[in-house]
Amino acid sequence: MIGGGASGLMAAFSAAKTISESSSEASVTVLEKMPRPGRKIMITGKGRCNFTNYKEWESFSPHIRSKASAVRPAFFNLPPSKVIEFFEGQGVPTVVERGDRAFPQSHMASDIVDALVRASTSLGVKIHPGVQVGKVSFDPEGDVFNLDAGDRVFSCRRLIIATGGLSYPSTGSSGDGYSFAASLGHSISPLFPSLTAIVPKGYKIHGADGTGLRGHIDRSIPVSAAGRQLMGISLKNSGLALFLDGNEVHRVMGDLDFTDGGLEGPLGFQVSRECVKGLVNGRKAAVSIDLKPAVGGDELLGRLRRLWSEIQADPRSAGMHMDRMFRVLLGKVLPHGLIDGFLAWNPGLGKGADLEMLARRLKDWRMEIEGFVGYERAVVTAGGIPTEEIIAKTLESKRQKGLYLCGELLDVDADTGGYNLQCAFSTGFLAGLSAAKSIIGR
Ligand SMILES: Cc1cc2nc3c(=O)[nH]c(=O)nc-3n(C[C@H](O)[C@H](O)[C@H](O)COP(=O)(O)OP(=O)(O)OC[C@H]3O[C@@H](n4cnc5c(N)ncnc54)[C@H](O)[C@@H]3O)c2cc1C
């Protein structure tokens, strides 16, 4: 096994369990390049680890953004209920919260890592931390895979690659598995970051030469003065629509955050996949924020007119400048902290108290999107080993016998909410089970 993350540790457990139930003397070894396994799991769910989403397949599968049918057999082998059972059986009590999201009751991701390590090592799995595989080859004469790890070469009859994607490379997932799979005959669907911040035009400081930013905009690039007017603001129950080349492709409702990266939070993440894919394919992207999704445009305009009349009739408005009165109106329809940013990002709005324009902008606050934060802070990698190149029922490669692939390395990515870890656990479990069965001849 290469990779001791979510899918690799689960694969090691299921392989070792299957072998332990037979008379075979086969053994399972995990090579992990980091000093400790499960580094990425430790940062999941802001350290609380939202390890699965407790849904049936029918409501789970729409959250898989790539070809969900390829994950179906793996899901049914180890559905969310069984993942919860697994952790409970390892002495980790769990809780299911809003949106069916499951966490360890302790809210400590380390409990999940410890359980995975304990479950596999108690069945005899050997975990070698600090071992980075650099090259993989298959020797057809000896019918073995050779894994070159610098000063050591490991050989095995069945190989599971569980090296993850490219996001958060500091956790060890730096995309090595794509080249291993490619060297064994696989192709790689275009890779791009998903569940990441998208960057409105003008939100970040542009280069000293004044040229615009486009595509990957590193999170470390400073936020502009205009961006700082919005940074730190969280919008509750807003609408967000994504436009590609002027056509609306996605509309969602929920909470939206302006951060040092750009637009993120649940809504930003939900549109990020399509937005990033569009941008890398040269399409023009824009979003429209609906600050009043619960009311229609006409109703909103009527409400604004009523409020405006009340403000004008209020004795406290006597002698008040029009701009000041307009800000009083904004204070009645917007969170206080958003007024300056909203005016700065909607130039012309403050002049002349144009209520029709205000109603339009509250329902349709347009922002051109010029880029996205890359793998340095993206939650997952979209793209990867095409699922058409593996047998969904076993996760064995169609290109190389004896090779199994699982986890984020595959062209499988999902929404936030525990869906990604569930996919990693399910595919890891099935890969381990199938590899073990094939070696013990079942
Ligand atoms: C900040 C953040 C928060 C997240 N929160 C959640 C969440 O709450 N819920 C959820 O469902 N998903 C979450 N995810 C996504 C989830 O963590 C991943 O989808 C999941 O970890 C993928 O599992 P994996 O086993 O495929 O890869 P990984 O967990 O990335 O494991 C791959 C392992 O392979 C090792 N490796 C790589 N190359 C080599 C090599 N050459 N030699 C040896 N070892 C190697 C790596 O060091 C790593 O340990 C989050 C991701 C991030 C970045």
Side-chain angles (χ1 to χ4, degrees):
M1 176 103 44
I2 313 177
S7 63
L9 291 173
M10 188 57 93
F13 165 75
S14 79
K17 185 164 180 297
T18 310
I19 290 167
S20 73
E21 288 158 2
S22 73
S23 54
S24 166
E25 293 194 346
S27 65
V28 182
T29 300
V30 177
L31 305 180
E32 166 54 52
K33 76 175 175 192
M34 300 302 280
R36 290 168 69 98
R39 276 288 296 274
K40 186 174 277 178
I41 300 173
M42 295 295 281
I43 59 165
T44 56
K46 300 198 170 105
R48 302 191 309 136
C49 189
N50 173 199
F51 68 88
T52 185
N53 193 290
Y54 192 27
K55 282 189 173 72
E56 301 293 332
W57 175 250
E58 285 64 34
S59 28
F60 187 101
S61 55
H63 293 275
I64 301 176
R65 296 304 198 91
S66 27
K67 207 169 148 204
S69 58
V71 184
R72 199 172 187 275
F75 181 93
F76 280 99
N77 251 287
L78 189 76
S81 56
K82 288 264 193 269
V83 171
I84 290 174
E85 214 174 274
F86 167 83
F87 286 115
E88 297 259 345
Q90 290 300 318
V92 180
T94 62
V95 284
V96 177
E97 299 187 356
R98 191 169 53 92
D100 305 324
R101 294 172 309 145
F103 294 87
Q105 201 176 62
S106 61
H107 284 166
M108 283 169 60
S110 55
D111 284 356
I112 295 296
V113 179
D114 291 349
L116 286 162
V117 170
R118 198 170 47 243
S120 49
T121 51
S122 68
L123 289 169
V125 172
K126 290 186 199 71
I127 300 179
H128 292 285
V131 175
Q132 176 165 2
V133 175
K135 215 172 125 207
V136 174
S137 57
F138 179 70
D139 169 9
E141 278 178 19
D143 195 19
V144 289
F145 294 92
N146 292 316
L147 317 181
D148 188 338
D151 51 353
R152 287 180 74 177
V153 175
F154 294 82
S155 297
C156 55
R157 287 165 60 207
R158 298 290 179 274
L159 173 63
I160 301 177
I161 307 183
T163 46
L166 280 161
S167 58
Y168 276 72
S170 54
T171 62
S173 326
S174 50
D176 303 2
Y178 302 119
S179 50
F180 301 156
S183 71
L184 295 170
H186 282 279
S187 59
I188 297 152
S189 309
L191 304 165
F192 57 95
S194 180
L195 305 182
T196 192
I198 54 174
V199 189
K201 187 172 183 185
Y203 196 87
K204 293 272 194 168
I205 287 178
H206 282 196
D209 57 356
T211 50
L213 300 165
R214 189 155 173 84
H216 174 204
I217 298 177
D218 199 278
R219 192 160 191 126
S220 62
I221 293 177
V223 174
S224 65
R228 281 202 300 276
Q229 304 254 32
L230 298 174
M231 192 171 84
I233 289 173
S234 288
L235 302 175
K236 302 279 169 220
N237 301 319
S238 300
L240 186 73
L242 171 68
F243 292 82
L244 290 177
D245 293 334
N247 300 314
E248 183 177 319
V249 293
H250 207 130
R251 184 172 284 271
V252 279
M253 254 190 72
D255 301 342
L256 182 65
D257 299 333
F258 291 96
T259 68
D260 61 327
L263 278 177
E264 50 186 315
L267 286 194
F269 277 179
Q270 278 179 60
V271 302
S272 66
R273 189 184 201 276
E274 274 168 293
C275 185
V276 174
K277 193 175 179 190
L279 286 168
V280 296
N281 286 318
R283 300 178 74 183
K284 270 192 177 310
V287 293
S288 160
I289 302 172
D290 183 350
L291 293 165
K292 299 286 165 195
V295 285
D298 291 344
E299 190 186 340
L300 180 62
L301 181 58
R303 192 185 290 179
L304 291 174
R305 286 188 174 135
R306 272 195 307 282
L307 286 170
W308 186 239
S309 304
E310 283 168 22
I311 293 166
Q312 284 179 315
D314 190 323
R316 286 172 297 181
S317 304
M320 195 187 273
H321 193 274
M322 175 85 92
D323 290 356
R324 182 78 200 98
M325 283 190 344
F326 191 65
R327 285 184 74 91
V328 174
L329 174 65
L330 289 178
K332 290 183 185 292
V333 293
L334 288 178
H336 207 264
L338 182 60
I339 296 176
D340 285 336
F342 186 68
L343 284 172
W345 281 75
N346 287 284
L349 193 59
K351 311 212 170 31
D354 182 340
L355 299 187
E356 285 184 12
M357 190 198 282
L358 175 59
R360 274 201 306 279
R361 296 288 169 84
L362 288 171
K363 293 287 301 167
D364 182 10
W365 175 8
R366 289 279 170 141
M367 288 179 170
E368 190 181 323
I369 301 296
E370 61 184 356
F372 53 87
V373 169
Y375 296 115
E376 71 275 9
R377 285 293 281 274
V379 173
V380 285
T381 305
I385 310 302
T387 49
E388 293 76 20
E389 296 181 7
I390 51 166
I391 302 163
K393 279 191 176 157
T394 58
L395 297 184
E396 187 175 14
S397 160
K398 289 181 185 169
R399 300 289 159 89
Q400 172 62 60
K401 214 169 158 26
L403 171 68
Y404 297 80
L405 304 157
C406 57
E408 202 174 311
L409 174 71
L410 297 172
D411 183 0
V412 171
D413 64 287
D415 292 337
T416 53
Y419 302 102
N420 283 295
L421 278 173
Q422 175 62 43
C423 288
F425 291 142
S426 285
T427 56
F429 188 87
L430 181 57
L433 179 76
S434 312
K437 274 186 174 174
S438 85
I439 210 142
I440 63 178
R442 271 212 257 139

